[in-house]
Amino acid sequence: MVSVFRTKDLHQLLGEVSTLDDDRSLRRSLTALDITLLGLGVMIGTGIFVLTGIVAAQYAGPGLMLSFVLAAVVCTFICLAYSELASLIPVAGSSYTYAYVSLGEVFGWLVGWSLILEYTVGASAVAGGWSAYFTSILADAGIHLPKALTAVPAEGGIMNLPAILIVGLAVFFLLRGIRESATANRVLVFVKIGTIFLFLLLAGPHVNPANWTPFLPYGWAGVSAGTAVLFFSYLGFDSLSTASEEARNPGRDMPIGIIAALTLTTLLYIAVSAVMTGVLPYTELDTAAPASYVLQRIGSHFGSALIGTGAICGLSTVLLVMIYAQTRAFYAMSRDGLIPEKLCHVHPKYRTPHRVTLLVGAAVALISGFTPIHIVAEMCSAGTIFAFLCSCIGLLVLRKRYPDMPRRFTCPAPKIIAPLGFLSCFYVFTQLSAHTLELFTVWFFLGLLVYFFYGRRHSRLNKMK
C-alpha cells in the first residue's frame, strides 16, 4: 500500500525531460507575453460574458465587485504557489506533476483525474455557450439555423453542430503547434479586450450611483456565495503552468505570465461589474448575456452586436486553452505510464502530442454536441479546487525536501501564503452546492478504481522498483 505514495525524484524528472528524444519532446517557443495572453484567453470569457449578470441578480447585487475581489485574493495565494512550482518544475502536467513529485503517485493521479473535470467538461460547456452566442448573432442577422442542428437530443434536436465545429477548429490549431495556437489566441484576446473597453466606453457615461444602493442586498453571505460561483471565471489560470515545458525561459516567463494574467483579469472583471450594476439595477441583470443586454437597454444596438462578437472571440480562446491544457496534462500522465504510453508520442513535424489532442477533441465534441452538460459542468470548480489544495501542501513539502534546488521565483512567506491558500480554497469549496459535492465524490472514487486497476500496475515508477 505504501507504493501508492511513491514520489518522482525531482532531479531525475528534470534530467529525463532534458534528454527526451524527438518522439517525446515538446518545442520551447512561448514567451512571457504569450503566457500572459494565454491566461487572458482562458480567464476572460465566461466570467464577463455570462456569469456577471446572474451572480449580481441572484447572489451579490452590486457587491459583485467584492465577490471578484475575494475570488482574486484566494487566487493570489494559489498564484504565488503555482509561480514557484512552475519555475521549480518546468515540466508539462501542471498540478498533476507537482502533486506527483511532492505528495505521491496516488495524489498525482487524483489531481490529474480532477483536472479532467475542469478541462474536458469545462471545454464542452464553453463550446455549448459559443454555439448559443453564434446562433443568436445569426438570428439577429435574419439567419435562423434549424433547431435539429443547434440543440442536443435531450433538448429536441439531433446535434449541436456549431459546438462540434468550433471544437474541431480548436483542435486543428492545436495540432498545428503551440506557436500557431498562441498566435491565434493572441489575435482573439486583443479582439475581446477591445470589445470590453468598448463596453466600458459606451456604458460608462450611463452609470447612476443610485443603482449601487443597497450595495450588499444579500449580505456578506451573498458575496461569499457569489465568489463560489464566480470562481469558475478564474479556474483557467492554473492551466498556464501546463505550458512550462514549452516556455523559452520557464523560470522567468511562467511567474510573469501567471501573475500578470491574474492581475489584468481581476481589474477588467471589477471594472465591468461596476459599470453593469451602475447602469441598471442588479435585479434586471439576470441574463446569460449581461453585457449585450446592458447596451441594448441604453439603446446601443450596434455596440451590443459588437459585444456579441467579442463574446464569441472570448469563448473561443477559453475553449482553445482548455483543450490545450487537458492534452498537456494527459501527455504528462501517459509519459508516466498512468494512462497508455503510446498517447504521449508527438507529431514528427508539428511537435505536438497529436494522438491525445485528437482523443480529447473527440471527447469534447461528443459531449458538447450530444449531451446537455450544464449540470455536470458545475463539477469544474470542485475538481480544480482539489488540485489547488494539493498544490498548496506540495509547495511546503518541496521546500523541505529540495531546499537547495534553484528557483527563479520564490513564493514570499510560504509558511503563511500556503496555509492561507489552503484555507481560503477550502472555504470556497464549502460554498459549493451539496449536489455538486456529491457528484465530485462519485467522480473521486471512480478515479481511485481506475488507478488501482490500471495506473498503479502500469506506472513507470512501479516498473523501476
Side-chain angles (χ1 to χ4, degrees):
M1 212 36 207
V2 176
S3 62
V4 302
F5 298 108
R6 56 196 171 204
T7 60
K8 300 178 70 171
D9 180 80
L10 182 54
H11 298 283
Q12 182 179 352
L13 172 63
L14 297 178
E16 289 176 353
V17 172
S18 64
T19 58
L20 284 176
D21 55 38
D22 289 343
D23 237 6
R24 294 158 60 88
S25 64
L26 299 173
R27 178 175 22 171
R28 292 192 179 275
S29 58
L30 297 180
T31 65
L33 177 60
D34 290 325
I35 295 165
T36 301
L37 292 176
L38 283 172
L40 295 177
V42 74
M43 284 191 282
I44 297 178
T46 309
I48 282 182
F49 297 117
V50 179
L51 295 179
T52 43
I54 295 172
V55 172
Q58 300 182 12
Y59 296 92
L64 168 69
M65 291 176 272
L66 294 182
S67 294
F68 275 119
V69 171
L70 180 58
V73 169
V74 174
C75 287
T76 297
F77 298 139
I78 309 302
C79 178
L80 292 172
Y82 264 79
S83 294
E84 175 170 327
L85 290 170
S87 67
L88 176 66
I89 312 175
V91 176
S94 182
S95 48
Y96 154 74
T97 302
Y98 308 153
Y100 204 156
V101 173
S102 60
L103 303 179
E105 186 174 273
V106 67
F107 280 100
W109 166 261
L110 288 172
V111 168
W113 186 252
S114 297
L115 291 180
I116 297 175
L117 291 178
E118 176 187 356
Y119 298 141
T120 302
V121 177
S124 303
V126 171
W130 187 98
S131 175
Y133 267 102
F134 180 72
T135 54
S136 176
I137 290 177
L138 289 182
D140 290 338
I143 303 173
H144 299 276
L145 298 178
K147 184 177 180 180
L149 297 179
T150 58
V152 298
E155 297 172 350
I158 297 177
M159 69 175 72
N160 190 339
L161 184 58
I164 294 176
L165 293 177
I166 188 59
V167 171
L169 183 61
V171 169
F172 169 77
F173 278 112
L174 291 172
L175 287 174
R176 291 297 302 272
I178 185 57
R179 180 73 262 163
E180 291 75 9
S181 301
T183 300
N185 177 76
R186 179 180 296 192
V187 173
L188 293 174
V189 165
F190 282 125
V191 170
K192 71 177 176 180
I193 289 179
T195 61
I196 290 172
F197 279 108
L198 177 64
F199 169 79
L200 296 175
L201 179 66
L202 295 175
H206 297 269
V207 168
N208 180 4
N211 289 325
W212 291 330
T213 305
F215 190 72
L216 298 177
Y218 303 101
W220 183 254
V223 173
S224 299
T227 297
V229 177
L230 290 171
F231 208 69
F232 180 79
S233 307
Y234 288 99
L235 296 187
F237 86 81
D238 68 302
S239 65
L240 298 184
S241 56
T242 63
S244 293
E245 203 169 320
E246 291 164 277
R248 290 180 181 175
N249 185 355
R252 170 185 175 274
D253 296 339
M254 293 306 302
I256 292 176
I258 292 174
I259 295 172
L262 178 64
T263 302
L264 293 173
T265 297
T266 300
L267 292 175
L268 289 174
Y269 276 160
I270 293 174
V272 169
S273 59
V275 170
M276 281 185 182
T277 54
V279 173
L280 294 178
Y282 67 91
T283 53
E284 298 181 22
L285 294 173
D286 195 4
T287 171
S292 294
Y293 178 71
V294 167
L295 292 178
Q296 289 173 357
R297 286 291 305 274
I298 63 176
S300 180
H301 296 285
F302 178 71
S304 176
L306 288 178
I307 290 297
T309 303
I312 286 181
C313 292
L315 295 175
S316 296
T317 58
V318 174
L319 178 66
L320 185 73
V321 179
M322 277 191 164
I323 295 178
Y324 163 79
Q326 180 61 84
T327 61
R328 271 42 179 186
F330 271 149
Y331 168 80
M333 295 169 74
S334 68
R335 199 163 63 186
D336 294 331
L338 298 181
I339 60 177
E341 292 189 61
K342 290 183 179 180
L343 292 176
C344 74
H345 290 298
V346 299
H347 193 279
K349 178 179 180 181
Y350 299 119
R351 316 305 313 148
T352 58
H354 58 292
R355 295 175 182 175
V356 74
T357 299
L358 289 171
L359 178 65
V360 171
V364 173
L366 287 173
I367 295 173
S368 60
F370 297 95
T371 309
I373 41 71
H374 59 281
I375 295 177
V376 182
E378 295 177 4
M379 298 165 63
C380 293
S381 294
T384 309
I385 291 173
F386 176 75
F388 288 174
L389 294 173
C390 290
S391 294
C392 288
I393 299 173
L395 174 67
L396 296 178
V397 172
L398 292 175
R399 274 291 184 102
K400 184 175 182 179
R401 188 175 298 166
Y402 300 100
D404 300 323
M405 283 289 288
R407 294 165 170 83
R408 289 292 300 273
F409 177 90
T410 56
C411 175
K415 293 183 179 180
I416 297 176
I417 296 297
L420 284 177
F422 183 93
L423 293 174
S424 57
C425 275
F426 185 77
Y427 171 73
V428 174
F429 192 83
T430 62
Q431 302 301 305
L432 297 170
S433 69
H435 179 62
T436 298
L437 295 177
E438 290 171 0
L439 289 175
F440 176 71
T441 301
V442 172
W443 180 260
F444 186 89
F445 282 105
L446 179 61
L448 284 176
L449 290 176
V450 174
Y451 170 73
F452 281 107
F453 280 99
Y454 181 89
R456 183 187 178 195
R457 292 188 294 111
H458 292 83
S459 164
R460 288 189 65 199
L461 286 186
N462 184 55
K463 297 176 181 179
M464 293 168 59
K465 67 180 183 179

